[in-house]
Amino acid sequence: MLRVGLTGGIGSGKSAVAARLVERGAVLIDADRVAREVVAPGTDGLAEIVAAFSDSVVDADGALDRAALGAVVFADETARRRLEAITHPRVRARTAELTAAAAPDAIVVNDVPLLVEVGLTPTYHLVVVVQTAVATRLERLARDRGMGRAEAERRIAAQADDARRRAAADVVLTNDGSLTALHDAVDRLWKQRLVPYEDNLRQRRVVPPDAAELAGADASWPEQYARLAARIQHTLGSDALRIDHIGSTAVPGLAAQNVIDVQVAVASLADADGPLADRLASAGFPRVPGQWWDDPRPAGRGRWEKRLHGSADPARPVRLHVRMADSPGWRYALLMRDHLRADPDQRATYLQLKRDLVDAAPVAGDSGTARNPWFDEEYLRAEQWAAQTGWRP
C-alpha cells in the first residue's frame, strides 16, 4: 500500500487536507488520536506514566491530565525522554496495526504534526507538507481556537520552521487562500500523483522518464536526491554500503534530463537480487526488467554489469544503479561526476555534447553516449585529473 506522511505547522490547515483526502478515499491514521488512545484510562500506557510520574498527572476521572504532565516534562529533558520512551513505542505499534488492517490497495495517510521534527520522513513513500503564512496561522489560531497571540507564537516557534519542512517535502500544499482552492489542490494531488503512484507500487511498475529533453539546471535536485537517499538508506540499512548522487543532476549548474540518478553500492551483485530487490520495490523503487550493464571506459574491456531500478512515483523519475562497491563502473560514475564538478571547460563541452545527442536521438534512454568517442577521451582526462589531485572515490 502507499504510505503518505502528512504534516504542517499548527494552524496551517493540515486537518482540512486530511479530511479532504479521506473524502477522496484515503485511510487516515491520526497520530494525535493514536497518542491519546495508547494512554487512555485502563491502558498499560497510562499505568506506566503514573508509575513514572505519580498519580498527580491523573485527573479526578482517572484520565491523563495533560496539563499537569506537561508542567512536569516541559522544562525537564530527562523527564521528557522518559515519557517518550513510554509513549512512542506504543504509538508506533498501534500505527503499524492500523496500517496492516488497511486494504492492500489502500492509500494510507499518516497525519503527524511533528513528522519532520522526529525524523520520520524516510519511512513514507511520499511526504506532503501544508504550508501557510505565519500571519494567517496566527489569525486562524485566534479565531478558531481562541488562542492568545503570545501562546500561538510560542507554539509556532516550538515546531520546525517552513524551510525545514520544505526540505523534507515531496509535495508542498500552500494554504493561504480559500478552502475551495485548497480542496482543488488536494484533488489534483490525489488524481495525478497518489492514485497512479499506488497503482504503480502495487504492480511494481517503473515510471519511464519523459522524452530526453534537457531541463534547465534545478537547484532543488540535490534536495530531491537527499530525500530519495534517506528512503533508500532506511529501506536497505547496512546492505547499502554507500549511496551517492551521480549523473548530470549531481553536477551543479548543469542542464540535464529531469531524472535523478542514484548509485547504491553493495558487497556483491548477488546481494542485489532476491530480498534486497523486493525491499526496494516495496519502498517505491521497482526493478527495471531486463539485463543491464555499463559500457566500459576505455572501450573494449568487457561490460560492467549492474542492476537497475526505477521509481513508481509518476512525478519523480529515478534511475537507481546498483553496483558492486569498488567496481570499475561504481568508480567511473563517481570520477566523472567529480571531474565535471571541478572542470568548467569540460562541463561546458559536455553540455553541448548532450544537446547535440538529444537533438540526434530525442528518445529517453537513447542518447548515444556509449558510441561517442568524447567519453573515452573524458575518461582519460578524468584519470589524469585524479592522479594530479589525489582524488579518491
Side-chain angles (χ1 to χ4, degrees), residues 226-347:
R227 291 194 292 271
L228 296 167
R231 289 189 178 106
I232 294 165
Q233 187 67 69
H234 174 76
T235 299
L236 298 184
S238 60
D239 288 331
L241 303 181
R242 175 168 164 173
I243 303 173
D244 289 281
H245 188 188
I246 61 170
S248 296
T249 61
V251 181
L254 185 64
Q257 187 184 8
N258 187 25
V259 182
I260 304 295
D261 282 279
V262 180
Q263 177 168 267
V264 175
V266 294
S268 73
L269 286 184
D271 292 343
D273 300 322
L276 188 149
D278 290 339
R279 282 150 58 195
L280 282 173
S282 296
F285 305 98
R287 177 168 286 186
V288 180
Q291 299 297 314
W292 296 93
W293 61 87
D294 299 302
D295 292 284
R297 305 293 175 196
R301 299 169 58 190
R303 64 192 188 186
W304 295 337
E305 190 179 358
K306 66 179 177 182
R307 304 292 184 264
L308 186 65
H309 290 245
S311 172
D313 181 354
R316 180 61 274 164
V318 172
R319 284 187 294 256
L320 197 164
H321 311 259
V322 183
R323 297 182 172 110
M324 191 170 71
D326 299 319
S327 66
W330 172 86
R331 181 182 182 278
Y332 173 72
L334 299 172
L335 173 61
M336 183 169 181
R337 178 201 67 186
D338 290 351
H339 184 231
L340 290 175
R341 284 175 173 177
D343 190 328
D345 291 337
Q346 291 306 321
R347 193 161 61 242

Side-chain angles (χ1 to χ4, degrees), residues 128-379:
V128 178
V129 167
V130 185
Q131 180 174 291
T132 306
V134 171
T136 303
R137 293 164 64 188
L138 291 171
E139 291 174 5
R140 289 174 182 167
L141 291 171
R143 181 193 66 211
D144 300 336
R145 306 191 194 185
M147 191 178 295
R149 186 178 183 88
E151 175 64 10
E153 289 177 342
R154 184 187 70 79
R155 294 202 182 192
I156 289 173
Q159 297 180 334
D161 60 20
D162 286 344
R164 188 176 170 195
R165 286 199 195 90
R166 281 196 302 270
D170 300 288
V171 178
V172 175
L173 294 176
T174 301
N175 184 27
D176 293 316
S178 67
L179 184 60
T180 298
L182 180 65
H183 282 175
D184 288 345
V186 174
D187 291 350
R188 287 193 299 271
L189 172 65
W190 178 264
K191 181 178 180 180
Q192 297 174 11
R193 193 163 188 180
L194 299 187
V195 170
Y197 194 170
E198 185 284 319
D199 188 53
N200 292 339
L201 182 68
R202 183 162 32 88
Q203 302 293 338
R204 298 197 169 190
R205 182 167 51 232
V206 172
V207 175
D210 294 330
E213 60 188 29
L214 299 184
D218 188 336
S220 75
W221 281 333
E223 209 170 65
Q224 294 182 51
Y225 157 76
R227 291 194 292 271
L228 296 167
R231 289 189 178 106
I232 294 165
Q233 187 67 69
H234 174 76
T235 299
L236 298 184
S238 60
D239 288 331
L241 303 181
R242 175 168 164 173
I243 303 173
D244 289 281
H245 188 188
I246 61 170
S248 296
T249 61
V251 181
L254 185 64
Q257 187 184 8
N258 187 25
V259 182
I260 304 295
D261 282 279
V262 180
Q263 177 168 267
V264 175
V266 294
S268 73
L269 286 184
D271 292 343
D273 300 322
L276 188 149
D278 290 339
R279 282 150 58 195
L280 282 173
S282 296
F285 305 98
R287 177 168 286 186
V288 180
Q291 299 297 314
W292 296 93
W293 61 87
D294 299 302
D295 292 284
R297 305 293 175 196
R301 299 169 58 190
R303 64 192 188 186
W304 295 337
E305 190 179 358
K306 66 179 177 182
R307 304 292 184 264
L308 186 65
H309 290 245
S311 172
D313 181 354
R316 180 61 274 164
V318 172
R319 284 187 294 256
L320 197 164
H321 311 259
V322 183
R323 297 182 172 110
M324 191 170 71
D326 299 319
S327 66
W330 172 86
R331 181 182 182 278
Y332 173 72
L334 299 172
L335 173 61
M336 183 169 181
R337 178 201 67 186
D338 290 351
H339 184 231
L340 290 175
R341 284 175 173 177
D343 190 328
D345 291 337
Q346 291 306 321
R347 193 161 61 242
T349 301
Y350 179 48
L351 176 56
Q352 186 56 54
L353 176 65
K354 284 163 64 73
R355 287 173 173 153
D356 292 344
L357 291 171
V358 167
D359 289 342
V363 178
D366 186 22
S367 63
T369 58
R371 298 176 295 278
N372 194 289
W374 181 87
F375 289 90
D376 282 336
E377 296 165 4
E378 166 59 13
Y379 170 77

